[in-house]
């Protein structure tokens, strides 16, 4: 509750769902996610939480692959400095769970891509 109130005090917009569910991240559709990443001008982090097998078909350009089951062990690879963090999976369910986990670990500026990878309207590439 304190972190939600801090977001309000900082002027960050909250949705009714965020307040009702105590949700410290924002669900975003593809166009809004693309806008957030574009406006950050390279100062955002995109995390793909799918398995390596799932990413064989492609990833969001510039995304860091950290499969969901490795998030706890690799969270130090994720910046926690206030820059936007876009988390996505195949459909949006696993990424929502990762957003919840990271929020409990103290991460801010979390965004869950509703619809997952296929909802991303921006450039897509191959994993490196």
């Amino acid at each position: 509750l304190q972190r939600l109130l801090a977001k309000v005090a900082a002027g960050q917009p909250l949705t009714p769902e965020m307040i009702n569910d105590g949700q410290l991240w924002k669900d975003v559709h593809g166009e809004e996610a693309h806008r957030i990443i574009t406006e950050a001008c390279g100062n955002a982090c995109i995390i793909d939480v799918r398995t390596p097998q799932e990413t064989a078909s492609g990833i969001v350009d510039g995304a860091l692959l950290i499969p969901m089951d490795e998030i706890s062990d690799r969270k130090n690879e994720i910046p926690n400095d206030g820059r936007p963090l876009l988390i996505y999976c195949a459909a949006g369910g696993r990424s929502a769970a990762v957003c919840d986990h990271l929020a409990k670990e103290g991460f801010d500026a979390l965004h869950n891509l509703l619809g997952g990878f296929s909802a991303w309207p921006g450039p897509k590439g191959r994993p490196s």
Side-chain angles (χ1 to χ4, degrees), residues 8-33:
V8 170
Q12 296 177 13
L14 300 179
T15 65
E17 293 81 17
M18 291 172 73
I19 295 167
N20 289 333
D21 297 339
Q23 182 177 306
L24 292 167
W25 73 91
K26 186 175 181 187
D27 287 319
V28 293
H29 293 281
E31 291 298 328
E32 184 178 2

Side-chain angles (χ1 to χ4, degrees), residues 38-95:
T38 302
E39 288 178 359
C41 301
N43 196 25
C45 184
I46 305 170
I47 308 292
D48 186 326
V49 298
R50 298 176 298 158
T51 66
Q53 294 80 11
E54 290 175 294
T55 63
S57 63
I59 64 171
V60 171
D61 269 356
L64 174 62
L65 173 60
I66 304 179
M68 182 180 182
D69 62 353
E70 297 177 17
I71 286 289
S72 290
D73 294 333
R74 296 179 57 193
K75 69 182 175 199
N76 62 328
E77 297 176 39
I78 304 170
N80 189 12
D81 55 8
R83 73 177 83 174
L85 298 172
L86 177 65
I87 315 294
Y88 74 93
C89 62
R94 285 176 289 173
S95 52

Side-chain angles (χ1 to χ4, degrees), residues 83-123:
R83 73 177 83 174
L85 298 172
L86 177 65
I87 315 294
Y88 74 93
C89 62
R94 285 176 289 173
S95 52
V98 168
C99 284
D100 187 53
H101 172 75
L102 292 175
K104 289 176 181 172
E105 293 288 326
F107 284 80
D108 285 317
L110 293 160
H111 300 85
N112 175 47
L113 179 58
L114 293 172
F117 178 68
S118 62
W120 178 252

